Amino acid sequence: GQQVMQIPQYQHVQEGEDFTTYCNSSTTLSNIQWYKQRPGGHPVFLIQLVKSGEVKKQKRLTFQFGEAKKNSSLHITATQTTDVGTYFCAGPQLPASYDKVIFGPGTSLSVIP
Amino acid sequence: NAGVTQTPKFQVLKTGQSMTLQCAQDMNHEYMSWYRQDPGMGLRLIHYSVGAGITDQGEVPNGYNVSRSTTEDFPLRLLSAAPSQTSVYFCASSKRSGRSLTDTQYFGPGTRLTVL
């Protein structure tokens, strides 16, 4: 079945440095979602990308969907301590089902003040 | 709106016991799902439902049952608890837009389950 992988697994950055996490799928995705989970909390939706090559920005966060719709990235500019958490990508497990949403293992971000 | 609620927040079971994790949403969402989260493994889909009376298996369905008799509720039943089911369980809901395309998933606060 489809596998969703994320790298790196962990990232420690100094406050103010940039951060990027990459998401790769073994199969083409119809769409991809990104979530953030703070320590001890629950996942919170950040964004959904649907179109090939799509780029979306949310303040310091930039999300990209690859041209082949098999990979995606999340880039944070000038990290802050509020960015601490685990970032997950997720996508439907095609061709089985649009409704079977599979999550990657996540990238855990630590920000050193 | 309360969003997605889950009960209990914490639970300790002995091996072989059964229990039901409750999940409810008040957003009239058609889609609901259950995930389990284990360290280093992200969230793994257990079961999901696209509407009342319709359920399907996710990645790791063994040992769990679900039913969806109403739009609001989606309980998860552990038939005979095992230590391997020690995990954090999240319920989520979403409206469905377009052709079977799920939208933003809203997660509940989670249930932390320990099986001894």
Side-chain angles (χ1 to χ4, degrees):
Chain A
Q2 173 189 314
Q3 288 188 331
V4 178
M5 297 151 283
Q6 283 185 254
I7 54 170
Q9 187 176 1
Y10 302 98
Q11 185 78 56
H12 305 278
V13 300
Q14 203 76 33
E15 188 173 17
E17 290 182 339
D18 292 355
F19 159 77
T20 303
T21 175
Y22 300 91
C23 176
N24 296 292
S25 171
S26 57
T27 59
T28 301
L29 299 166
S30 64
N31 65 83
I32 194 158
Q33 298 176 345
W34 284 91
Y35 292 80
K36 176 184 178 181
Q37 183 179 27
R38 289 200 162 98
H42 58 274
V44 174
F45 175 84
L46 293 176
I47 209 160
Q48 176 167 270
L49 305 172
V50 179
K51 299 177 182 177
S52 169
E54 189 170 14
V55 178
K56 286 189 176 180
K57 293 189 176 183
Q58 288 180 349
K59 297 183 180 178
R60 294 179 295 104
L61 278 61
T62 302
F63 303 84
Q64 291 189 330
F65 201 8
E67 293 291 340
K69 300 183 76 173
K70 295 181 73 173
N71 56 72
S72 180
S73 65
L74 158 58
H75 179 81
I76 302 178
T77 303
T79 54
Q80 301 174 358
T81 54
T82 54
D83 296 324
V84 166
T86 302
Y87 293 85
F88 295 98
C89 62
Q93 188 174 43
L94 298 179
S97 171
Y98 282 97
D99 295 308
K100 209 167 181 175
V101 179
I102 305 301
F103 277 70
T107 294
S108 177
L109 173 64
S110 298
V111 178
I112 305 163
Chain B
N1 287 350
V4 180
T5 57
Q6 291 184 240
T7 56
K9 290 185 179 179
F10 301 93
Q11 183 70 50
V12 179
L13 292 178
K14 294 181 179 178
T15 297
Q17 287 185 316
S18 63
M19 81 158 294
T20 299
L21 307 185
Q22 301 292 344
C23 174
Q25 53 92 8
D26 60 359
M27 298 174 281
N28 201 31
H29 286 167
E30 303 95 329
Y31 183 90
M32 295 186 75
S33 57
W34 277 102
Y35 290 87
R36 60 175 288 173
Q37 184 172 33
D38 305 294
M41 300 196 69
L43 296 109
R44 291 184 291 170
L45 182 64
I46 305 171
H47 286 285
Y48 64 97
S49 168
V50 299
I54 307 169
T55 64
D56 207 345
Q57 295 182 348
E59 302 171 89
V60 289
N62 292 343
Y64 306 95
N65 271 1
V66 291
S67 59
R68 185 98 180 266
S69 55
T70 66
T71 299
E72 295 78 19
D73 301 296
F74 190 42
L76 177 72
R77 282 182 287 277
L78 279 70
L79 309 172
S80 177
S84 61
Q85 293 179 306
T86 293
S87 188
V88 180
Y89 291 84
F90 288 103
C91 177
S93 76
S94 167
K95 64 175 181 168
R96 296 175 81 221
S97 55
R99 181 177 61 88
S100 301
L101 190 66
T102 53
D103 210 302
T104 306
Q105 289 206 75
Y106 295 89
F107 282 80
T111 294
R112 281 152 180 77
L113 175 68
T114 301
V115 182
L116 302 175

